[in-house]
Amino acid sequence: MKTKRTLTGLIKSDDGLAAIEAALVFPVLLALLMGTFDLGNAILANTKVVRASQVVADLVTRKRSVSDADVDEAIEAGRLALEPLDTSSYGVDITSIEFDEDADTAIVWRETENMTADPDVLTRVEPLAEENFGVVVVSVRYEYVPFFANFLTGDISMMETAFARGRKSAVVTHQ
C-alpha cells in the first residue's frame, strides 16, 4: 500500500518535468547550433572560392603575355584568397582561349594545378566568342570539410569559374 502511494505521488508530481523537457530539447538545439556553424563556414568557404577564381583571372589578364612566374604568382594569390582555410585541396585550371576570324575557339595555353582540367572549357566559352579576341577561363576547385557534419555529408566539393578578357591585348599569351 505504501509503495502504491509512493508511485502515485511520483506520477502526479511535476517536479522533474522541466528537466525531462530540457533533456528532450537539448539535443535538437545542439544539432541546430552545430549545423549553423557548419553552414556559416561553408558559405564563407564558397565566397572565398569565388574570390580566388576572380583574383587569379584578374592577375593573369593584366599583361599581354605572362611568364611561368606570373602564372605561379597568380595561383599563389588564389591560394592566399582562401586563407585562413586549409588550402591543401585548392586546385586551379587556367586556360587562355583565342577566337579566330570565324569565331572558332582554340586553346593558346593552359596551366592546371591540383585538379583535372575542365574538358568542356571550349564549349563553355562559345557564347563569348568574338572574332579576333580571346578570353581567360579560371576554374578553382576546393574541398570543404565540415567540422561537425562531416560524418553525414562528407566533403563538399566547391567549384567556381571566372571569365576575363585581356586588359592590354585581345589574347593573353604565354612566354
Side-chain angles (χ1 to χ4, degrees):
M1 186 80 155
K2 187 176 180 182
T3 309
K4 186 177 180 182
R5 246 185 279 149
T6 305
L7 286 175
T8 304
L10 286 175
I11 292 172
K12 290 182 179 179
S13 174
D14 60 359
D15 292 343
L17 191 57
I20 292 171
E21 288 174 354
L24 292 174
V25 171
F26 181 72
V28 173
L29 292 176
L30 187 62
L32 284 173
L33 177 68
M34 292 186 309
T36 302
F37 178 82
D38 276 345
L39 180 63
N41 281 338
I43 291 170
L44 175 68
N46 192 55
T47 302
K48 287 182 173 286
V49 169
V50 170
R51 183 176 300 134
S53 69
Q54 292 171 347
V55 163
V56 174
D58 179 57
L59 290 174
V60 168
T61 56
R62 285 184 177 190
K63 295 182 176 182
R64 295 176 196 269
S65 182
V66 293
S67 65
D68 286 337
D70 294 329
V71 172
D72 291 343
E73 286 175 4
I75 292 171
E76 184 59 25
R79 184 182 322 283
L80 292 173
L82 287 171
E83 286 189 353
L85 301 175
D86 174 28
T87 58
S88 61
S89 66
Y90 164 72
V92 64
D93 179 31
I94 307 168
T95 311
S96 180
I97 298 171
E98 179 180 29
F99 306 113
D100 64 13
E101 59 277 345
D102 297 324
D104 292 329
T105 58
I107 294 176
V108 178
W109 61 271
R110 182 176 223 158
E111 181 74 30
T112 305
E113 183 178 299
N114 201 26
M115 68 180 279
T116 36
D118 182 2
D120 299 326
V121 70
L122 293 177
T123 306
R124 295 174 72 190
V125 297
E126 283 177 359
L128 302 173
E130 191 174 333
E131 292 178 8
N132 299 316
F133 276 90
V135 67
V136 173
V137 181
V138 177
S139 297
V140 171
R141 184 191 53 79
Y142 181 73
E143 296 294 325
Y144 171 68
V145 181
F147 188 75
F148 294 111
N150 192 29
F151 69 96
L152 291 174
T153 63
D155 294 356
I156 299 171
S157 183
M158 298 179 178
M159 185 151 175
E160 181 65 31
T161 303
F163 302 88
R165 297 221 188 249
R167 292 185 187 182
K168 296 183 178 182
S169 64
V171 178
V172 177
T173 60
H174 194 286
Q175 299 170 357

